[in-house]
Every structure is written in C-alpha cells, then in structure tokens.
Amino acid sequence: MRGVSIAAVIMARAPRAGETKTRLEPLLGAQGCARLQAELIRHTADWATRAAARTWLAFTPSDAQPEFLGLIPRAVRLFPQPDGDLGERMRRATECVFGAHRGAVAVLGTDAPELGPVHLRFVKQGLAAGHDACVTPTLDGGYALIALARPTPAAFELPSEAWGGPAVLELTLGALRAAGRSCVLLEPVRDLDTPEDARYVAADPRCPPAVGQALKPRSAA
C-alpha cells in the first residue's frame, strides 16, 4: 500500500553440508540438505527483492559471503550476522537496516517456502492501518516473519534458551505488548525442519519447483 516502505532483511545460514538443515539428513543426506538450503536462500532472496523496497541478507558464519553471491540477486546487500543468540543477531540486524532505510523493516527466515510477496502485501496493510508490528507465525510455535514499523529492541529480547522452542511466538507477543506495541498476526505457515515437514511441503502445490526438487530423497550422504 502507498505510504508504507518495507525493507527486508533475510537471516540465512550458509549452505554447508553437515551444518544446515541437519534434522533432514535422515531423508536427504548432508549434501542434500546443503542443496536444499541453497534453494531456500535463492527462493527467499528472489521474492523478497521483488516485493520489498530494499533487501539485505545477514549471513552466518562470518566467512561465508562468497557462498551467497551466486544465489542472490545483485541488488541484495550482504553483511555478516553479529555474535550472540538468535534474538541478539536479529536485533542488531534490524538496527543496521533501520539505520539505512527510512521505513519499516521485515525480518525473514529461509525455512518457510510458503512465504512470498503476498505476505509483504499483508504486512503493508497491517502497518498502514496503524499497527506497530506484523508477525507470520509458524506451526511449531515460532514465526517466519516479523515486521516492525520502527525499532523495537524488546521484540528480540527473549531468554536465550527460548529461541528455537515452542514458546517463541507467545513470548514475542508478550514482549511487544510490554513495550506498548500493537501487533497483527497473519496466517501461520509451516517451517521446513523435519522429514514430516518435508513431505508436507513437497506435496503442497504452492511449493516452489526448485525447492520441491531439492526435497526429493537422494542416496548420496
């Protein structure tokens, strides 16, 4: 919607065998998980670049920048994720983007291939209606996208042990309320973490073809 400019910052881990999507290794093998991660990065960067005013990618580990260059559009700006738990890394990444973009910032993961331009359109509607934040939950109790109209460090200041657990969404909503920020929830999506998730996503007609191909089991480990 007019009047709402959204920058996207993608949080992404390098597609290295044995270091990413490891819960899917029984299905895909370590090399297959790396291929899947590469396709998820490519898919997320492509749609975010088309849908957002500007796009950044915060990568980890810190020496991985060359591994992303062939996966993302040239317009995407790269910077390494800082040290700390996931909340600290997201907090500092949003601070970096808010410092360079006059408008809202949406933080995206790469694990939910259902996410796409329509979600940023819904975010624009929510922020244009006066909300301070928009969140797309995941079915496991976390979230795949959080958009903030202005810097809100409290949104990421959860206990370190909570990140990755089933209470992330609940704790985040509580932190937003305590900070005096209103929030609208979008429809939940499925994270791609387990073999069960992989089978569900691969069978979904909305699954991007390249991601679906990468989800096919391979014998190579």
Side-chain angles (χ1 to χ4, degrees), residues 10-13 58 60 81-94 107-109 111 142-143 155-165 168 191:
I10 303 164
M11 307 293 290
R13 179 170 292 278
T60 187
Q81 293 182 23
D83 294 333
D85 63 26
L86 179 58
E88 175 68 6
R89 287 181 277 135
M90 288 196 292
R91 181 186 69 78
R92 293 175 63 186
T94 58
V107 186
L108 316 173
D111 290 344
Y143 60 80
F156 308 110
E157 293 173 352
L158 309 187
S160 292
E161 64 274 12
W163 291 105
V168 169
D191 260 350

Side-chain angles (χ1 to χ4, degrees), residues 94-121:
T94 58
E95 286 178 353
C96 175
V97 176
F98 271 120
H101 174 74
R102 300 187 65 152
V105 173
V107 186
L108 316 173
T110 61
D111 290 344
E114 290 178 54
L115 282 181
V118 66
H119 292 87
L120 282 193
R121 289 199 293 272

Side-chain angles (χ1 to χ4, degrees), residues 128-140:
H131 292 286
D132 300 305
C134 294
V135 175
T136 300
T138 53
L139 298 178
D140 60 4

